[in-house]
Amino acid sequence: MTDSRVPRPRRFLVCEPRHFAVQYAINPWMHPDKPVDVDLAREQWQQLIRAYRTHGHTVDSVEPVPGLPDMVFAANAAFVVGGRVFGSLFHAPQRRPESVHYDTWFKAAGYDVHRPESVTEGEGDLVWTGRYVLAGTGFRTTREAHREAQEFLGHPVIGLTLVDPYFYHLDTALFVLDDDNICYYPEAFSPGSREVLKRLYPNAVLATREDAMAFGLNSVSDGRNVFIAPQAEALAERLAGHGYVPVPVDLSEFHKAGGGIKCCTQEIR
C-alpha cells in the first residue's frame, strides 16, 4: 500500500528560533518559569529543515526579530492559497507585531497580502484540503475571520469548533494527509463539528488524546511522508498501517510553547 502513496513537492516558509523563549503564557502548555534550551531548540529545528530538504521540499526563511519569541511558529502568520496571502491578526497582543514582518516578506516576494480585520491565526486555524478550507474557532480565530477568508480567497470555508484548551488551534487537532483524507482527534471538536468531519472524511485516520498530547496531530504530510513527533509512536504506527511513511522529527523543546512541526511550518501554495 505504501507504494501507492505519492509525495508532492512542497514549498515551506520557516523562521529560525534564534530568539525563541517562553516569556508569557497564552496557552496551557506555556510556563514562563520553565527554562527553554535555545541551543537544543535550534538543533531540533535544523533537523526539521534537513528532513524537509532530504525529502525534496523547498524551504525559505524569514529573518527572526528580537523580542518576538514565538515568531518561529511561522504557520500562524498567514494562510496561502493560489498566491493569495490571508494574513494574521493574532489574538494575543504579544504576537501581533509578528504579522508585519511576515507580510513584508510576502509582499517583497510579490504576493497579494490581505490584512484581516478579524482575529485569525493563519494555518494555525485554516487548513487547506485541496478543495476547501477547514477553519477552526473556539479559542483564537473568529467566525468573522472565516467569512473574511472565504471572501478574499474565493474558496469554501467550513467552520469547526474546538472545545479543548490544550488543542487551541486546529493544527493541534487535525492535519491533512493528502487530497482525499485527514487525520484528527475527534474529542477536540464539538459534537456538531465531529459529525461534519465524519461526513466529509468517513475513512479518516482517528487519533487518541494521547496522540494529540504528544503533538502527533501537529504534523506535516506531503501525501506519502508524514513528518511527525516521535513521541506519537502509536499514531505513527497507525499511519504506517494506512500506507503512509512516518518521518519522526523531535521538536520537543517547542512543545513547551504549545508548538510542534506544523506550527514551525508555513506552506506556500
Side-chain angles (χ1 to χ4, degrees), residues 126-142:
L126 301 175
V127 175
W128 177 242
T129 68
R131 291 169 289 175
Y132 41 76
V133 181
L134 298 178
T137 191
F139 297 100
R140 301 288 183 85
T141 299
T142 64

PDB file of all heavy atoms in Angstrom, residues 126-142:
ATOM      1  N   LEU A 126      -6.550  27.644   9.863  1.00  0.00           N
ATOM      2  CA  LEU A 126      -7.043  27.497   8.497  1.00  0.00           C
ATOM      3  C   LEU A 126      -6.242  26.401   7.803  1.00  0.00           C
ATOM      4  O   LEU A 126      -5.019  26.506   7.671  1.00  0.00           O
ATOM      5  CB  LEU A 126      -6.916  28.816   7.727  1.00  0.00           C
ATOM      6  CG  LEU A 126      -7.669  30.017   8.329  1.00  0.00           C
ATOM      7  CD1 LEU A 126      -7.353  31.277   7.541  1.00  0.00           C
ATOM      8  CD2 LEU A 126      -9.165  29.765   8.370  1.00  0.00           C
ATOM      9  N   VAL A 127      -6.924  25.353   7.385  1.00  0.00           N
ATOM     10  CA  VAL A 127      -6.260  24.180   6.817  1.00  0.00           C
ATOM     11  C   VAL A 127      -6.782  23.925   5.409  1.00  0.00           C
ATOM     12  O   VAL A 127      -7.991  23.733   5.208  1.00  0.00           O
ATOM     13  CB  VAL A 127      -6.492  22.941   7.712  1.00  0.00           C
ATOM     14  CG1 VAL A 127      -5.906  21.698   7.060  1.00  0.00           C
ATOM     15  CG2 VAL A 127      -5.878  23.163   9.088  1.00  0.00           C
ATOM     16  N   TRP A 128      -5.886  23.907   4.431  1.00  0.00           N
ATOM     17  CA  TRP A 128      -6.257  23.670   3.042  1.00  0.00           C
ATOM     18  C   TRP A 128      -6.345  22.175   2.771  1.00  0.00           C
ATOM     19  O   TRP A 128      -5.420  21.417   3.090  1.00  0.00           O
ATOM     20  CB  TRP A 128      -5.243  24.320   2.108  1.00  0.00           C
ATOM     21  CG  TRP A 128      -5.502  24.080   0.649  1.00  0.00           C
ATOM     22  CD1 TRP A 128      -4.698  23.429  -0.235  1.00  0.00           C
ATOM     23  CD2 TRP A 128      -6.635  24.531  -0.103  1.00  0.00           C
ATOM     24  NE1 TRP A 128      -5.260  23.441  -1.489  1.00  0.00           N
ATOM     25  CE2 TRP A 128      -6.458  24.100  -1.441  1.00  0.00           C
ATOM     26  CE3 TRP A 128      -7.795  25.242   0.228  1.00  0.00           C
ATOM     27  CZ2 TRP A 128      -7.376  24.362  -2.451  1.00  0.00           C
ATOM     28  CZ3 TRP A 128      -8.719  25.504  -0.762  1.00  0.00           C
ATOM     29  CH2 TRP A 128      -8.516  25.069  -2.083  1.00  0.00           C
ATOM     30  N   THR A 129      -7.438  21.731   2.176  1.00  0.00           N
ATOM     31  CA  THR A 129      -7.636  20.309   1.908  1.00  0.00           C
ATOM     32  C   THR A 129      -7.439  19.947   0.442  1.00  0.00           C
ATOM     33  O   THR A 129      -7.492  18.776   0.081  1.00  0.00           O
ATOM     34  CB  THR A 129      -9.064  19.885   2.303  1.00  0.00           C
ATOM     35  OG1 THR A 129     -10.004  20.521   1.412  1.00  0.00           O
ATOM     36  CG2 THR A 129      -9.374  20.263   3.737  1.00  0.00           C
ATOM     37  N   GLY A 130      -7.245  20.956  -0.401  1.00  0.00           N
ATOM     38  CA  GLY A 130      -7.173  20.727  -1.839  1.00  0.00           C
ATOM     39  C   GLY A 130      -8.458  21.092  -2.544  1.00  0.00           C
ATOM     40  O   GLY A 130      -8.481  21.321  -3.750  1.00  0.00           O
ATOM     41  N   ARG A 131      -9.551  21.185  -1.770  1.00  0.00           N
ATOM     42  CA  ARG A 131     -10.858  21.542  -2.329  1.00  0.00           C
ATOM     43  C   ARG A 131     -11.513  22.702  -1.589  1.00  0.00           C
ATOM     44  O   ARG A 131     -12.216  23.515  -2.164  1.00  0.00           O
ATOM     45  CB  ARG A 131     -11.802  20.334  -2.299  1.00  0.00           C
ATOM     46  CG  ARG A 131     -11.414  19.216  -3.254  1.00  0.00           C
ATOM     47  CD  ARG A 131     -12.210  17.963  -2.976  1.00  0.00           C
ATOM     48  NE  ARG A 131     -11.801  17.346  -1.721  1.00  0.00           N
ATOM     49  CZ  ARG A 131     -12.388  16.284  -1.178  1.00  0.00           C
ATOM     50  NH1 ARG A 131     -13.456  15.760  -1.764  1.00  0.00           N
ATOM     51  NH2 ARG A 131     -11.938  15.754  -0.054  1.00  0.00           N
ATOM     52  N   TYR A 132     -11.292  22.749  -0.300  1.00  0.00           N
ATOM     53  CA  TYR A 132     -11.901  23.784   0.534  1.00  0.00           C
ATOM     54  C   TYR A 132     -11.027  24.003   1.763  1.00  0.00           C
ATOM     55  O   TYR A 132     -10.004  23.323   1.945  1.00  0.00           O
ATOM     56  CB  TYR A 132     -13.327  23.400   0.950  1.00  0.00           C
ATOM     57  CG  TYR A 132     -13.485  21.946   1.341  1.00  0.00           C
ATOM     58  CD1 TYR A 132     -13.040  21.478   2.572  1.00  0.00           C
ATOM     59  CD2 TYR A 132     -14.065  21.031   0.464  1.00  0.00           C
ATOM     60  CE1 TYR A 132     -13.173  20.159   2.924  1.00  0.00           C
ATOM     61  CE2 TYR A 132     -14.191  19.690   0.805  1.00  0.00           C
ATOM     62  CZ  TYR A 132     -13.745  19.261   2.041  1.00  0.00           C
ATOM     63  OH  TYR A 132     -13.866  17.934   2.383  1.00  0.00           O
ATOM     64  N   VAL A 133     -11.434  24.953   2.583  1.00  0.00           N
ATOM     65  CA  VAL A 133     -10.679  25.301   3.784  1.00  0.00           C
ATOM     66  C   VAL A 133     -11.434  24.798   5.003  1.00  0.00           C
ATOM     67  O   VAL A 133     -12.619  25.110   5.181  1.00  0.00           O
ATOM     68  CB  VAL A 133     -10.481  26.829   3.896  1.00  0.00           C
ATOM     69  CG1 VAL A 133      -9.677  27.176   5.148  1.00  0.00           C
ATOM     70  CG2 VAL A 133      -9.807  27.387   2.646  1.00  0.00           C
ATOM     71  N   LEU A 134     -10.770  24.024   5.842  1.00  0.00           N
ATOM     72  CA  LEU A 134     -11.298  23.708   7.162  1.00  0.00           C
ATOM     73  C   LEU A 134     -10.812  24.794   8.105  1.00  0.00           C
ATOM     74  O   LEU A 134      -9.615  25.127   8.109  1.00  0.00           O
ATOM     75  CB  LEU A 134     -10.815  22.335   7.629  1.00  0.00           C
ATOM     76  CG  LEU A 134     -11.244  21.128   6.788  1.00  0.00           C
ATOM     77  CD1 LEU A 134     -10.641  19.853   7.355  1.00  0.00           C
ATOM     78  CD2 LEU A 134     -12.765  21.022   6.714  1.00  0.00           C
ATOM     79  N   ALA A 135     -11.730  25.359   8.885  1.00  0.00           N
ATOM     80  CA  ALA A 135     -11.389  26.533   9.689  1.00  0.00           C
ATOM     81  C   ALA A 135     -11.796  26.334  11.145  1.00  0.00           C
ATOM     82  O   ALA A 135     -12.961  26.063  11.444  1.00  0.00           O
ATOM     83  CB  ALA A 135     -12.075  27.775   9.122  1.00  0.00           C
ATOM     84  N   GLY A 136     -10.837  26.464  12.039  1.00  0.00           N
ATOM     85  CA  GLY A 136     -11.094  26.296  13.459  1.00  0.00           C
ATOM     86  C   GLY A 136     -11.516  27.588  14.129  1.00  0.00           C
ATOM     87  O   GLY A 136     -11.139  28.683  13.721  1.00  0.00           O
ATOM     88  N   THR A 137     -12.312  27.441  15.183  1.00  0.00           N
ATOM     89  CA  THR A 137     -12.704  28.562  16.028  1.00  0.00           C
ATOM     90  C   THR A 137     -12.963  28.017  17.421  1.00  0.00           C
ATOM     91  O   THR A 137     -13.004  26.811  17.633  1.00  0.00           O
ATOM     92  CB  THR A 137     -13.952  29.283  15.474  1.00  0.00           C
ATOM     93  OG1 THR A 137     -14.148  30.505  16.190  1.00  0.00           O
ATOM     94  CG2 THR A 137     -15.197  28.419  15.602  1.00  0.00           C
ATOM     95  N   GLY A 138     -13.117  28.924  18.385  1.00  0.00           N
ATOM     96  CA  GLY A 138     -13.379  28.496  19.750  1.00  0.00           C
ATOM     97  C   GLY A 138     -12.407  29.071  20.745  1.00  0.00           C
ATOM     98  O   GLY A 138     -12.770  29.370  21.889  1.00  0.00           O
ATOM     99  N   PHE A 139     -11.160  29.271  20.323  1.00  0.00           N
ATOM    100  CA  PHE A 139     -10.143  29.817  21.221  1.00  0.00           C
ATOM    101  C   PHE A 139      -9.408  31.009  20.609  1.00  0.00           C
ATOM    102  O   PHE A 139      -9.098  31.962  21.310  1.00  0.00           O
ATOM    103  CB  PHE A 139      -9.135  28.733  21.609  1.00  0.00           C
ATOM    104  CG  PHE A 139      -9.749  27.595  22.376  1.00  0.00           C
ATOM    105  CD1 PHE A 139     -10.062  26.411  21.743  1.00  0.00           C
ATOM    106  CD2 PHE A 139     -10.044  27.736  23.721  1.00  0.00           C
ATOM    107  CE1 PHE A 139     -10.641  25.364  22.439  1.00  0.00           C
ATOM    108  CE2 PHE A 139     -10.630  26.699  24.434  1.00  0.00           C
ATOM    109  CZ  PHE A 139     -10.932  25.506  23.801  1.00  0.00           C
ATOM    110  N   ARG A 140      -9.115  30.975  19.336  1.00  0.00           N
ATOM    111  CA  ARG A 140      -8.337  32.038  18.705  1.00  0.00           C
ATOM    112  C   ARG A 140      -9.108  32.657  17.530  1.00  0.00           C
ATOM    113  O   ARG A 140      -9.757  33.693  17.674  1.00  0.00           O
ATOM    114  CB  ARG A 140      -6.987  31.494  18.229  1.00  0.00           C
ATOM    115  CG  ARG A 140      -6.119  30.885  19.344  1.00  0.00           C
ATOM    116  CD  ARG A 140      -5.540  31.922  20.284  1.00  0.00           C
ATOM    117  NE  ARG A 140      -4.663  31.354  21.286  1.00  0.00           N
ATOM    118  CZ  ARG A 140      -3.380  31.102  21.124  1.00  0.00           C
ATOM    119  NH1 ARG A 140      -2.801  31.330  19.962  1.00  0.00           N
ATOM    120  NH2 ARG A 140      -2.645  30.607  22.110  1.00  0.00           N
ATOM    121  N   THR A 141      -9.030  32.041  16.370  1.00  0.00           N
ATOM    122  CA  THR A 141      -9.638  32.589  15.161  1.00  0.00           C
ATOM    123  C   THR A 141     -11.157  32.681  15.299  1.00  0.00           C
ATOM    124  O   THR A 141     -11.801  31.757  15.799  1.00  0.00           O
ATOM    125  CB  THR A 141      -9.271  31.710  13.952  1.00  0.00           C
ATOM    126  OG1 THR A 141      -7.844  31.724  13.807  1.00  0.00           O
ATOM    127  CG2 THR A 141      -9.910  32.216  12.670  1.00  0.00           C
ATOM    128  N   THR A 142     -11.719  33.802  14.845  1.00  0.00           N
ATOM    129  CA  THR A 142     -13.158  34.036  14.998  1.00  0.00           C
ATOM    130  C   THR A 142     -13.934  33.576  13.768  1.00  0.00           C
ATOM    131  O   THR A 142     -13.380  33.414  12.679  1.00  0.00           O
ATOM    132  CB  THR A 142     -13.438  35.535  15.197  1.00  0.00           C
ATOM    133  OG1 THR A 142     -13.035  36.244  14.015  1.00  0.00           O
ATOM    134  CG2 THR A 142     -12.664  36.089  16.389  1.00  0.00           C
TER     135      THR A 142
END
